[in-house]
Amino acid sequence: RSADVSVRTARQNRQQTGKQRQAYRCGTRNGFIRDDKMVRILSGLFKGRKVAVGSFRLSAREAFICASAGYAAFFTAVLIMFLSPTAAVICGFAGAAAGVPVGRGIIRRRRNKANLIQFRDFLDAISNAFSSGNNLKQALNETYANLSLSYGPQTMIITELGKIIDGLDNGFTAEALFDAWQAGSELRCVADFAVTMNVSLRSGGDLKAAAADCRDILNGKIDTEMEIMAAVASGRNELNILSVMPFAVT
């Protein structure tokens, strides 16, 4: 009899997982969730395997700007140093190839800095929403509405909150959606927040206290990381100025 119960339970779990996948596909076709990254993450979670995501890619416009800047920098440097237009044109193409990875790193750092600021505002907003006596879904909706007044629809925090809310409407668990968020993000504070909330959800803990603790602890970490990034950027700017000085003197 116990074996029959186990088989019946496993069959029900498979049927429920199939219904969740089908609901997610329908939600994707109907426009609830539009990001292919989210599709890969959630499909990998339901299949029980990790999905490699989070690789930073430039848009065509950004790649063109980086390549053009690299070409212009190498062309100018070679032309000033060697007074050879032919060599400058040839070296310019090498500069264009080198400009793309350098520009990717610059844009990546700037975007991560902007995402940190957005996530800090998210921590304050969701902590205030839980303090008002809302449950998880109500707090997420209220946070989404408040942050939409400050950030556009293409920003990181609005996009990720929209995915989580759409996933909850389509029958996904909050734990899977928080795991998907941290898997697709490069910010460590997002992973810390997701792990804390998932532990509270699984153990039936106080979400209000968990959100307040996350806000207090992670805000300190974010402030420290912002100071480190500012110091590194200052040193990098000084190095760039020193690198340009020989060409300016010439």
Side-chain angles (χ1 to χ4, degrees):
R1 183 176 301 175
S2 60
D4 294 338
V5 172
S6 301
V7 171
R8 191 180 302 110
T9 303
R11 186 179 303 165
Q12 291 174 354
N13 291 336
R14 287 196 299 270
Q15 291 175 353
Q16 184 178 5
T17 303
K19 291 179 181 178
Q20 288 177 334
R21 292 177 181 174
Q22 184 64 28
Y24 180 74
R25 295 192 189 100
C26 294
T28 305
R29 285 199 301 267
N30 294 333
F32 294 113
I33 303 175
R34 302 179 180 88
D35 195 350
D36 292 335
K37 183 193 294 185
M38 192 70 172
V39 177
R40 296 199 307 273
I41 294 171
L42 287 176
S43 62
L45 287 174
F46 283 122
K47 292 178 182 177
R49 58 183 177 83
K50 293 184 178 180
V51 179
V53 296
S55 58
F56 183 80
R57 293 184 180 181
L58 297 176
S59 63
R61 178 176 176 273
E62 292 171 339
F64 177 77
I65 293 175
C66 295
S68 300
Y71 184 93
F74 271 61
F75 179 87
T76 304
V78 173
L79 186 63
I80 291 175
M81 296 297 295
F82 300 102
L83 301 177
S84 174
T86 304
V89 171
I90 296 174
C91 293
F93 289 104
V100 174
V102 173
R104 183 188 295 115
I106 295 173
I107 295 174
R108 186 177 190 173
R109 287 191 295 270
R110 291 180 178 177
R111 193 167 298 177
N112 285 340
K113 182 178 180 180
N115 291 343
L116 272 177
I117 297 174
Q118 296 174 24
F119 187 74
R120 183 175 58 187
D121 294 341
F122 162 77
L123 291 175
D124 293 333
I126 197 168
S127 178
N128 294 333
F130 278 122
S131 299
S132 301
N134 297 318
N135 58 28
L136 178 60
K137 189 172 182 180
Q138 292 172 345
L140 290 172
N141 284 323
E142 182 177 336
T143 302
Y144 182 88
N146 292 333
L147 293 179
S148 297
L149 301 176
S150 302
Y151 299 107
Q154 301 300 325
T155 53
M156 180 275 297
I157 195 64
I158 298 300
T159 303
E160 297 298 337
L161 278 176
K163 293 175 185 176
I164 294 174
I165 294 172
D166 289 341
L168 292 175
D169 292 338
N170 287 319
F172 285 96
T173 62
E175 292 91 338
L177 294 169
F178 282 133
D179 286 338
W181 186 10
Q182 69 165 329
S185 176
E186 298 180 353
L187 303 180
R188 294 181 180 178
C189 53
V190 173
D192 296 336
F193 172 80
V195 170
T196 303
M197 296 302 292
N198 285 345
V199 171
S200 299
L201 289 170
R202 294 189 185 104
S203 60
D206 187 1
L207 294 179
K208 175 183 175 181
D213 292 340
C214 284
R215 179 194 60 190
D216 296 337
I217 296 173
L218 294 180
N219 277 349
K221 290 184 177 181
I222 291 173
D223 292 338
T224 302
E225 189 170 352
M226 295 285 287
E227 293 176 359
I228 294 173
M229 292 171 65
V232 171
S234 177
R236 190 179 293 111
N237 291 335
E238 293 177 359
L239 179 61
N240 293 335
I241 293 173
L242 293 176
S243 300
V244 174
M245 286 299 295
F247 301 102
V249 173
T250 304

